[in-house]
Structure formats: structure tokens, C-alpha cells
Amino acid sequence: MVDNRTMAQMLQAPIEGYEDAIVVPPINANNFELKQPLINLVQSNKFTGRQDPHNHLRFFNKVTSTFRHPEVPNTSIKLLLFPFSLDGEARDWLDKEPPRSILTWDDLVAKFINQFFPPSKTTYLRNEITTFYQKPNETFNEAWERFKGLLRQCPHHGFSELHQLDTFYNSLNTNDQDALDSAAGGNFLDKMPREGLAIIESKSKVRYSRSRPNDSRAITNAPSSTSSPSNNSFEIQQMAALLEDKMNIRMSRLEKAISEKNATTPATVKAVEEVCVTCGSNHNFNNCPLTRNDFPVFQDNIHQFQQTAAVGNFVQRNPPNLANQMRPPGFNQPNVQSNQGNQSRIKTVEAI
């Protein structure tokens, strides 16, 4: 067969092969159209490839269930709306799928989950569920909510309700296990799975009962580290950090108090003690009992000593040390060589 097209026509890009990956069955209903409010509601929670794909499918199913048409299957509506719920990496994934490769809603869900929830992630979450343990300082309600979150992230985990309750019960600390046993009227595991679930839900709603683990069970249930001392390192680090914070607060308060005291309290001046040159006691020599009228014998000597000290420019040295002080005439002078010069000066003045 001869191709009668021109070269320009042959070089044009083909117009076939640009079909979408999703094949929507033909819709023969009259007056059927997707309303813009419904599209806006789907686009309000777009999936970019970073979120949980199961949560996105739950939200999408809820939104599409609000719109029904008697002549249009609900799966066809989902196939029409699902591309509007994707963005970014997820939108690129759908655009790269081969044309007309998704024929049903089940095909779309399978490819979507396998792309954004690979088997490796399933294995990881299953291990997180089986090795679940109550963290130190984690309340019963917090542990139960975290455990349910792991189950929701991996709805195809395959664990029975009995396995789930047994795993959660054995992951608790001793105090919370005793609380469950008390609520069950005996051993918690003696109850039926439905009864045990109801007991856990009832206890988790009591938010004011925030029992903290006081034993080492929460740590021993944790994944083992390289050595046993490291299992207790978390509590030790918490205690050390708490003590350090308290010490820093007290030191800052002490420094503040010292600075305020230095700013308001004037410097103290050491008092000068007065020493009597007559008897060496702590009082003025005018108040000395030896210089009063009760001792007239010493009156002349004291008067003479005062005149001598004034004329000789008497200098008192080291008042606290009585051995180095000059005493009035008539008293025994210290046997110090430096005082002999003072005595000779006093005699010279007397001679004058």
C-alpha cells in the first residue's frame, strides 16, 4: 500500500497513544455530570506521595459515597474523581502508567498501594506491632493510642484480635497490668477478646488517671541494646538533666541575690580600736582609772609625759603591740633598743 502523505505529514507527532491510564466505562445516563463542589471537596485533601495511602483511600471513599446516581455505578464515579485527588509525586506516577492499563477500581487501588506502600514498609510496621512496648513515662492512654495508630497504618497486618490484645497487655508496665487485672476482676487474659477490648477502651478514656511506670518493666521490654547498662541510660539521663536544671536555677538565683546585695549594701569600714597608752586596755587614756584622782601619785608623771610627747613629736607605732608602745614616766619601759632613743629624748627635754 502506497503512503500518499507528504514528508511534513510524516514528521508530525502521532495523535494516538495519549490515552489516560484509567479507563472509565461508558456512562449512558442522562443529565449526569460531576459537580464542582464535589471536585473541590476531593481536592481539599490531595495525596502527594508522602502521606499514608490507606488514610487517603479512606477519605476518598467517604467523599465519593456522598454522591450517588441511580444509573451510574459508584466505581465509575471513583475512577473519574481519583486523578483530581493526586498531586506532586503521586500525580507523576499516574501519568507514567501505561495507557489504558487500569480498567477497574480494584486495579487502581492495587497499583496505588503497591507504589506508595511497598512490602518493605509492611514488614517494618509488622515488626513495630509485634515488638511494641510502653515507653518510660508514657501513660496508659498514650500507649494505647500509639498502638492503635500502628494498626491503622498497616491494616493488612494479619494479626487477630487476640494477638493484638495479648501483645498490648504484655507490653505494659506492672502498674497498668495490675489496673487491667483489677478492672477485669481477675486475670485480664481470662476475658473474651471483645470484653478485654471494652475494658481497655474504658480505661483509656479515664484521662485523669495518668499512672507513670515506676518499675523497670518498661525498659526491660524495650528492644535490647548492645549492653545491659545502656538499657538504664534513658532514666539516668533524665535524672541528670533534671538535677542540672535545678542546679542552674539555684545558681542563677544565688548570683542574682549576691549582685543585688553588692549594689545596695555600702562597703563596711573596719572600726579602729582605741588603746590606752597608760595601761594598754581598750579605752581612752583620759578615762583610764590610773589617771583619775584615785591615784594622785601618777598625776604629775602623766602631766609630764604629755608635755614630753608634745615637744618630742611623739609617734605611736603599732598600737595593738604593747611591747612597742612608749609608756609615761614612772612606769616600767619595754626593754627595746628603739625605745631607748625615745627615753634619751625625753630626758633631754626634761633637762631643758
Side-chain angles (χ1 to χ4, degrees), residues 270-323:
K270 186 176 179 180
V272 179
E273 296 182 356
E274 192 173 17
V275 180
C276 179
V277 296
T278 302
C279 63
S281 299
N282 294 332
H283 56 251
N284 190 281
F285 78 96
N286 292 324
N287 299 327
C288 181
L290 299 180
T291 62
R292 295 176 183 174
N293 296 329
D294 297 339
F295 300 89
V297 179
F298 302 104
Q299 294 298 320
D300 297 336
N301 292 332
I302 293 298
H303 181 69
Q304 183 180 4
F305 170 78
Q306 292 176 348
Q307 293 179 349
T308 305
V311 175
N313 193 16
F314 170 75
V315 179
Q316 181 181 353
R317 297 183 180 178
N318 298 329
N321 191 355
L322 300 179

Side-chain angles (χ1 to χ4, degrees), residues 125-246:
L125 289 176
R126 283 174 58 89
N127 291 334
E128 287 291 309
I129 294 172
T130 55
T131 60
F132 180 84
Y133 69 96
Q134 186 178 10
K135 295 181 179 180
N137 294 330
E138 187 177 37
T139 65
F140 179 88
N141 178 69
E142 293 169 348
W144 176 240
E145 292 298 326
R146 187 165 61 87
F147 185 73
K148 290 193 300 183
L150 291 175
L151 297 176
R152 285 193 296 266
Q153 292 180 34
C154 188
H156 53 288
H157 51 72
F159 298 125
S160 64
E161 190 175 44
L162 173 62
H163 190 183
Q164 297 173 27
L165 295 176
D166 179 67
T167 301
F168 180 73
Y169 175 78
N170 289 301
S171 70
L172 297 174
N173 61 75
T174 305
N175 292 338
D176 286 333
Q177 282 189 353
D178 293 342
L180 285 181
D181 292 338
S182 177
N187 190 354
F188 173 78
L189 297 178
D190 291 339
K191 293 292 184 179
M192 299 293 291
R194 289 295 180 182
E195 296 175 344
L197 181 60
I199 293 174
I200 293 177
E201 288 290 350
S202 177
K203 184 179 181 345
S204 65
K205 292 178 181 179
V206 185
R207 295 184 178 271
Y208 61 84
S209 177
R210 301 180 63 84
S211 57
R212 299 288 182 179
N214 296 324
D215 59 343
S216 60
R217 185 181 184 85
I219 297 180
T220 56
N221 287 340
S224 58
S225 302
T226 55
S227 59
S228 59
S230 62
N231 293 335
N232 299 325
S233 61
F234 181 80
E235 286 189 351
I236 295 176
Q237 291 176 359
Q238 281 190 330
M239 295 175 62
L242 182 61
L243 292 175
E244 185 178 0
D245 292 340
K246 290 184 177 180

Side-chain angles (χ1 to χ4, degrees), residues 23-70:
V23 178
V24 181
I27 299 175
N28 299 323
N30 296 326
N31 299 325
F32 171 78
E33 65 174 332
L34 295 177
K35 302 296 183 180
Q36 188 62 38
L38 180 62
I39 297 177
N40 294 338
L41 186 58
V42 171
Q43 292 179 332
S44 64
N45 186 24
K46 287 188 175 182
F47 181 81
T48 62
R50 302 297 180 182
Q51 304 93 325
D52 186 356
H54 296 100
N55 289 338
H56 180 71
L57 288 177
R58 293 190 194 99
F59 174 81
F60 183 78
N61 288 329
K62 288 181 180 179
V63 172
T64 54
S65 64
T66 61
F67 179 79
R68 296 184 179 275
H69 194 279

